[in-house]
Amino acid sequence: MKRSITLIFLALVNLCAVAQEGPQTNLPRLKLQAGMYQIDAQVAQTPDQRSVGLMFRNEMPAHEGMLFVFEQPSVQCFWMKNTLLPLTAAFVADDGTIVNLVDMKPQTTDAHCSTKPVRYVLEMHQGWFTKKGFKAGMRLGGTPFKP
């Protein structure tokens, strides 16, 4: 049953992605903090915005990323179909705590999931968190994570 639901979800995501002809670059933005580092995050909060995410992008500035916002915490799973850039996904709790980090290879359909229910996922260039010394258990700052 769970596998059937996952396959149906992936098929729907694929249909939405086919309708998208290029990268979405005009989403709302907000500033996040990772220690002393600023992140300029595009915010994907609707189902259509989340289904496209960073697909079709050939480039992205080093300090930019995309914050996926979901209505309620649940185990979130991401894949990299039609995504050209190698990314790291930070699965983030409501208070900004990084639950887990996952490196994701471009153009793959492997599922990369949070280890606990989360409402937020922040995608950055692959290795960004490691280079900045960030790992699971550390906290991000910014408007979405304020009590």
Side-chain angles (χ1 to χ4, degrees):
M1 177 71 174
K2 184 176 178 183
R3 181 169 167 77
S4 296
I5 292 171
T6 301
L7 291 175
I8 291 168
F9 171 74
L10 293 176
L12 290 173
V13 168
N14 193 34
L15 285 174
C16 291
V18 169
Q20 177 79 20
E21 294 182 14
Q24 55 184 359
T25 56
N26 59 350
L27 295 177
R29 292 177 180 268
L30 59 80
K31 299 288 184 194
L32 300 175
Q33 296 80 40
M36 65 183 200
Y37 302 100
Q38 287 274 84
I39 299 167
D40 183 16
Q42 288 191 327
V43 181
Q45 52 193 3
T46 70
D48 286 343
Q49 292 168 345
R50 292 190 303 254
S51 70
V52 175
L54 290 170
M55 289 180 176
F56 311 110
R57 294 255 183 122
N58 291 316
E59 59 187 15
M60 182 173 69
H63 67 282
E64 287 189 14
M66 184 170 286
L67 182 68
F68 296 79
V69 180
F70 295 88
E71 290 77 19
Q72 59 188 3
S74 67
V75 172
Q76 306 296 342
C77 293
F78 280 58
W79 66 345
M80 295 286 285
K81 184 170 183 160
N82 298 320
T83 306
L84 308 173
L85 302 170
L87 301 171
T88 299
F91 296 95
V92 184
D94 283 354
D95 68 354
T97 301
I98 297 172
V99 171
N100 63 302
L101 294 163
V102 179
D103 287 340
M104 303 184 296
K105 184 179 176 183
Q107 303 275 22
T108 60
T109 57
D110 300 335
H112 305 281
C113 302
S114 60
T115 56
K116 295 179 183 176
V118 297
R119 258 182 18 114
Y120 303 102
V121 181
L122 176 61
E123 288 184 341
M124 298 291 290
H125 281 286
Q126 191 170 94
W128 188 91
F129 294 97
T130 300
K131 288 176 190 166
K132 307 297 187 208
F134 265 73
K135 50 189 165 190
M138 299 178 98
R139 288 181 68 175
L140 300 174
T143 306
F145 312 126
K146 295 189 177 183

